[in-house]
Amino acid sequence: QMLTNSQGMHAVHAFSGRYDLSGRRGIAQPLSQLSALFEDQLLQLPVSKGNFKGATCLHFACEAGHEENVEFLIKRGLHLSAVTHSDQSCIDFAFDKGKIEPVMEAAAKAGVSHLDMLPLVDVAKRALKLPQRSTAHRLLSSFTDAAVRADATNSQQQKQGKGRKRQKPPEQEKTDGRSDLKILLRAVELDSTL
């Protein structure tokens, strides 16, 4: 208990990105003795609460790009695909800190193939989440209905006031009959964030 902070992180989590865990001068063995845990139990111990709940030593070694510890931890049975409670994998930790290259090199040394690592670098997971098509269409329709009514009102007022027909801008002439394109152009004209 004395080796765990208020955020549920054990000392081994904090040290896994800074100090060697294995070898003669490794810190894993002394920490396991202080914690009254077997070394394998200590290395697989997840963070118990807070922002990093569920993270293991491998998450923090990957975040720091500590090649020796990444290799050691993979060889001891930890997995790069392990996720925290906020769905962050070890690769996500490395990616967020720009340490993906050293992690991939260390994993390769530990016997993990690049083909096994590629699915872990999930580009789609990092992509902008888009609304469902029907929801987006409804929202854009409601947005443009008001804008189209305002345009129609302005158009009628101009016709009544000037007695002549207003000329359409070239973009609008091209989009007559294509409501989706009209919506998009109107959103751009109004500098919409939609």
Side-chain angles (χ1 to χ4, degrees):
Q1 288 291 0
M2 72 177 201
L3 295 174
T4 304
N5 72 10
S6 62
Q7 293 297 309
M9 284 182 64
H10 190 280
V12 74
H13 297 126
F15 294 162
S16 63
R18 296 184 194 136
Y19 307 106
D20 286 337
L21 293 174
S22 66
R24 193 174 56 114
R25 300 188 74 199
I27 198 157
Q29 183 61 37
L31 282 176
S32 70
Q33 291 171 347
L34 285 171
S35 303
L37 295 170
F38 291 112
E39 191 172 331
D40 284 341
Q41 289 176 315
L42 177 69
L43 295 175
Q44 294 186 17
L45 184 71
V47 175
S48 60
K49 58 184 174 179
N51 294 338
F52 299 116
K53 185 176 181 180
T56 64
C57 294
L58 186 54
H59 285 86
F60 298 106
C62 288
E63 181 179 52
H66 196 297
E67 291 184 48
E68 294 81 14
N69 285 349
V70 170
E71 182 180 352
F72 170 71
L73 291 166
I74 291 172
K75 286 180 178 178
R76 294 298 290 266
L78 279 82
H79 299 279
L80 290 169
S81 60
V83 293
T84 64
H85 286 278
S86 60
D87 204 31
Q88 294 283 302
S89 72
C90 298
I91 294 294
D92 292 327
F93 273 54
F95 185 84
D96 290 345
K97 296 294 183 175
K99 303 290 185 176
I100 197 76
E101 290 297 324
V103 168
M104 290 186 81
E105 287 176 26
K109 288 179 190 174
V112 180
S113 77
H114 279 64
L115 289 176
D116 291 335
M117 286 186 273
L118 286 178
L120 299 175
V121 182
D122 186 5
V123 177
K125 190 165 132 181
R126 299 181 203 307
L128 176 66
K129 293 188 189 223
L130 298 174
Q132 292 178 345
R133 186 180 197 119
S134 59
T135 305
H137 186 45
R138 233 179 304 122
L139 180 62
L140 283 173
S141 294
S142 69
F143 166 74
T144 55
D145 285 346
V148 169
R149 278 190 296 246
D151 281 348
T153 305
N154 288 340
S155 211
Q156 286 176 349
Q157 289 173 350
Q158 285 179 350
K159 283 180 187 177
Q160 291 172 355
K162 295 184 179 178
R164 64 176 196 189
K165 188 174 180 180
R166 188 180 121 204
Q167 271 194 323
K168 296 178 185 176
E171 304 87 36
Q172 199 171 6
E173 288 175 9
K174 293 177 192 172
T175 61
D176 279 350
R178 296 191 307 189
S179 63
D180 291 343
L181 192 50
K182 285 181 185 178
I183 292 169
L184 180 61
L185 287 173
R186 185 65 182 151
V188 170
E189 286 174 11
L190 297 174
D191 194 24
S192 172
T193 58
L194 296 177

